Amino acid sequence: MDAHIKESRLSTPPILRIPLASTLAFLVGMGLGTAHGSKTAGLRFRAEHAHKLPTTATGWFLYHKTKNYHVANGGIREGLKMGTKLSIIATATFAIENMFDTYRGTKDLLNTVIACVSVAGGFSLWNRFSLPTAARTTKSALIVGVAYGGLQDLVGIARGREIRYVEYLKRKYNKIFGPSASPAETSS
């Protein structure tokens, strides 16, 4: 296995990981936005035309035809908006994570947490959230960052990549209990 790929997060170099994450986030956002937007557009159309419902078969045909057009238009419009928003958020998160990977010279959980919390802060400022809402958003980002960063670190350890804080904990453990002691031996 190529050393560059082995040292990359999830064995995917940033040049591929960032566009892939952005594309997947756009597709997920497009799907969610389309579902929400089409439902909202259908309900809005019904509410706006409730006072003038058709009375003939041709009238009902044209009513549903027009309603379907509005549903499709509203779904696509909302899907593109949501997909773009999620794509920007994912791109920012992965780009900031990669920036800290390069700056700190290590790929670990801390970089992922910093990236998630930074994007959450920017998102909260952009949407002008109140302080309690911004704190809740940051707390959620912290949980997601720890979970995702931890998962990446576990995969990295399984693939043989050295994680700086894990190596530090191993050195401390060996310094306290000795190099030959294992957790099972010390508990007996």
Side-chain angles (χ1 to χ4, degrees):
M1 184 184 298
D2 187 30
H4 178 67
I5 291 176
K6 182 181 177 187
E7 289 298 315
S8 296
R9 290 180 175 269
L10 302 177
S11 298
T12 308
I15 197 80
L16 290 173
R17 191 176 69 249
I18 294 171
L20 183 64
S22 179
T23 303
L24 288 174
F26 179 81
L27 292 174
V28 168
M30 181 74 178
L32 293 172
T34 300
H36 180 260
S38 60
K39 184 176 181 179
T40 304
L43 292 172
R44 185 181 306 118
F45 184 86
R46 261 186 92 171
E48 289 174 356
H49 295 88
H51 69 284
K52 55 180 180 182
L53 292 175
T55 55
T56 64
T58 305
W60 278 108
F61 171 78
L62 293 173
Y63 172 86
H64 286 295
K65 181 179 175 184
T66 306
K67 181 182 172 196
N68 288 341
Y69 169 77
H70 283 278
V71 165
N73 189 23
I76 290 171
R77 197 176 273 193
E78 186 65 28
L80 288 173
K81 281 174 34 180
M82 180 65 74
T84 302
K85 285 179 189 177
L86 286 184
S87 178
I88 289 170
I89 289 170
T91 302
T93 302
F94 280 84
I96 291 170
E97 180 185 54
N98 187 55
M99 179 185 71
F100 277 103
D101 286 348
T102 305
Y103 176 74
R104 291 184 60 234
T106 183
K107 296 171 175 63
D108 61 10
L109 174 122
L110 183 61
N111 298 339
T112 306
V113 170
I114 291 171
C116 289
V117 170
S118 298
V119 171
F123 181 78
S124 297
L125 284 173
W126 181 266
N127 289 300
R128 297 184 177 142
F129 288 163
S130 65
L131 192 57
T133 305
R136 188 172 51 238
T137 303
T138 304
K139 182 180 173 185
S140 298
L142 180 65
I143 292 168
V144 168
V146 168
Y148 185 62
L151 176 71
Q152 289 182 88
D153 287 354
L154 287 174
V155 170
I157 290 168
R159 292 186 178 269
R161 183 167 54 96
E162 287 189 10
I163 310 295
R164 186 181 289 178
Y165 69 89
V166 173
E167 296 303 318
Y168 173 79
L169 292 173
K170 281 182 183 177
R171 281 194 311 273
K172 285 292 185 184
Y173 181 81
N174 288 339
K175 188 175 183 182
I176 293 170
F177 296 108
S180 62
S182 69
E185 293 171 5
T186 58
S187 64
S188 298

